[in-house]
Amino acid sequence: MGSGLIAAGAAAADTPAGVTAKIVKGADDKETVQYLDPKTNNWTNTEAGPFFIRIGDAEPLLPVYCIDLLQGASWQATYNETSWDESSLKNNPGSGPKILWILKNSYPTVGADALATASGVTGLTKADAAAGTQVAIWSFSDPKIQVKQGSKQADDFAKWLIAQANEHGKDGEPKPTLSLDPASVGGKPGTSVGPITVTAGGGTASVSLSLDDAGKDAKLSLVDDKGAAVKDVKSGDKFFAKIPADATNGHASITASGKAAASVGRAFVGRIGDKPSQTLILAGTNTVPVAAAASVTWGLGAVPTADAAIDCAKGALVVTLGNKGDKDAVLTVGGKEYTVAPNDTKTVTLPAKEDEQYSFTVTGPEGFTKTFTGLLNCKTDSSTTTPSPAPSPSASGPELASTGGGMGTGITASVAGVLVLAGGAAVYGLRRRGRHSRA
């Protein structure tokens, strides 16, 4: 699933939208820092430090840092785990591995005393370590924004982290907490279609598979490569959807749900209805409730499939149309028809506007329909703003609510967003404490 990407329709009705989270706690360890607001050209106060999210009902809470300095965050935002390429990290090449190194080797993964010894910064406190870590992360996620710290220890520590990350930050992106790949398969009655591979970030998972009512009615079954029934799977397992020989044309969804380990360095993109919220990156790990979904289509003649992913480099939703049948499939998406030959695929790029909701529906033979709805949130606000020259040292801006992980003060605006997804209505409230609210 892409960032905030929800597939709905006959091929994937009422399926879960991946790993979701909520901000539930502000920072325990933090310091006030200043950043140069490129819109006002004023130095603005904010708080820097990790705050906490909850994935499902998991305990303990997981620490996260901000990788989107100028975007506000809200308690009401729903966060979806996504890939680096489907987040703002895509627009800062090389930033992901360096931020990942910081997350693995700094606070709170490593204690303040150990960090003081490693960095040579005498008197480093938890608050210094927290603030320095956030500022170092911003140097890679929001490189155009100037940030200064009041604490010399925190400032020295941030500079040390940046140098270390530049030298050692080479690890690749951590795996998703749970995914099914591919997310759309199809074939003829009397065949087993797939394989679908289970991937869990922590390397293990306790996951159960289930079919929706359409799959049960058609008497589909989930099997391994030897044809034996499969119900529970772990990371690395492959399974197939076995379609009875007498099944009439149809669509169904497969759900994987259970527990898996969330990995340090996974990105979370948030939204409140049709509005974006600040992008976060995971700084801790824990076993959490997870869900993923795939769709299966079967029949004679044309057997269409459709999958989609956000392409942040293009600022678009890229839809892959497929045909697992023995006749051409004519599929319609974005107001245009596309003919897909048997056992072939066709890629369609659908431009989407940054920070705006999109909704595209794919339709095809035998009543096939699949809708992809989401919010493109690929860029930090700082990446779309040209910084002004720094003001004189005497200039100062208004004190706004926190950006770096604190709770902020004073609700200055209230916006309500309404979004209809998968045939149902979800109403979310957005309360933002100034332009740079952090929760």
Side-chain angles (χ1 to χ4, degrees), residues 32-366:
T32 298
V33 301
Q34 288 188 316
Y35 67 92
L36 184 61
D37 190 321
K39 294 181 179 179
T40 65
N41 204 32
N42 289 325
W43 288 101
T44 301
N45 288 350
T46 188
E47 291 173 349
F51 55 111
F52 298 87
I53 62 171
R54 175 180 282 117
I55 297 175
D57 58 358
E59 295 286 355
L61 306 180
L62 293 176
V64 290
Y65 281 98
C66 157
I67 52 171
D68 192 1
L69 195 160
L70 298 184
Q71 181 65 262
S74 169
W75 293 103
Q76 284 74 36
T78 296
Y79 278 87
N80 286 75
E81 180 184 355
T82 192
S83 69
W84 287 356
D85 281 353
E86 294 180 312
S87 76
S88 57
L89 293 178
K90 178 68 174 179
N91 293 285
N92 292 303
S95 62
K98 295 172 184 177
I99 292 172
L100 180 58
W101 187 94
I102 293 171
L103 295 168
K104 287 182 174 180
N105 295 278
S106 192
Y107 191 81
T109 302
V110 181
D113 291 343
L115 291 170
T117 300
S119 65
V121 177
T122 303
L124 187 75
T125 66
K126 289 181 179 180
D128 292 331
T133 300
Q134 177 64 89
V135 170
I137 289 171
W138 280 334
S139 76
F140 297 112
S141 68
D142 296 80
K144 293 182 179 181
I145 304 300
Q146 298 180 53
V147 180
K148 60 184 180 182
Q149 302 183 83
S151 165
K152 184 179 186 304
Q153 285 82 1
D155 186 53
D156 289 345
F157 179 62
K159 291 175 181 175
W160 177 81
L161 278 179
I162 292 167
Q164 295 298 307
N166 277 322
E167 181 177 356
H168 302 293
K170 301 181 182 355
D171 287 352
E173 180 178 3
K175 293 179 180 178
T177 303
L178 181 68
S179 68
L180 298 180
D181 184 35
S184 183
V185 295
K188 300 176 183 179
T191 64
S192 293
V193 298
I196 298 172
T197 301
V198 181
T199 300
T204 60
S206 173
V207 178
S208 295
L209 300 172
S210 62
L211 285 159
D212 66 359
D213 289 343
K216 293 173 184 174
D217 291 345
K219 294 183 171 54
L220 267 67
S221 57
L222 303 176
V223 299
D224 62 19
D225 58 357
K226 296 180 175 59
V230 172
K231 181 179 179 182
D232 298 322
V233 291
K234 62 183 184 302
S235 185
D237 284 355
K238 300 177 186 293
F239 67 93
F240 299 76
K242 185 177 181 179
I243 306 166
D246 60 354
T248 57
N249 291 25
H251 321 283
S253 63
I254 303 167
T255 299
S257 59
K259 299 279 188 180
S263 298
V264 171
R266 292 298 294 172
F268 281 78
V269 172
R271 68 180 185 183
I272 316 94
D274 60 353
K275 303 295 181 182
S277 188
Q278 189 176 83
T279 305
L280 310 175
I281 195 161
L282 200 58
T285 184
N286 189 28
T287 299
V288 298
V290 291
S295 64
V296 55
T297 307
W298 65 90
L300 298 174
V303 181
T305 64
D307 199 4
I310 290 170
D311 187 330
C312 280
K314 296 179 180 179
L317 182 72
V318 178
V319 179
T320 302
L321 306 175
N323 179 12
K324 299 296 185 179
D326 54 13
K327 292 183 179 179
D328 286 354
V330 179
L331 295 140
T332 301
V333 59
K336 296 183 179 179
E337 289 188 348
Y338 299 87
T339 299
V340 185
N343 296 311
D344 200 3
T345 61
K346 187 161 288 188
T347 300
V348 180
T349 300
L350 302 169
K353 292 184 179 180
E354 179 71 14
D355 290 344
E356 290 189 13
Q357 180 193 351
Y358 62 80
S359 181
F360 296 105
T361 298
V362 181
T363 59
E366 300 294 336

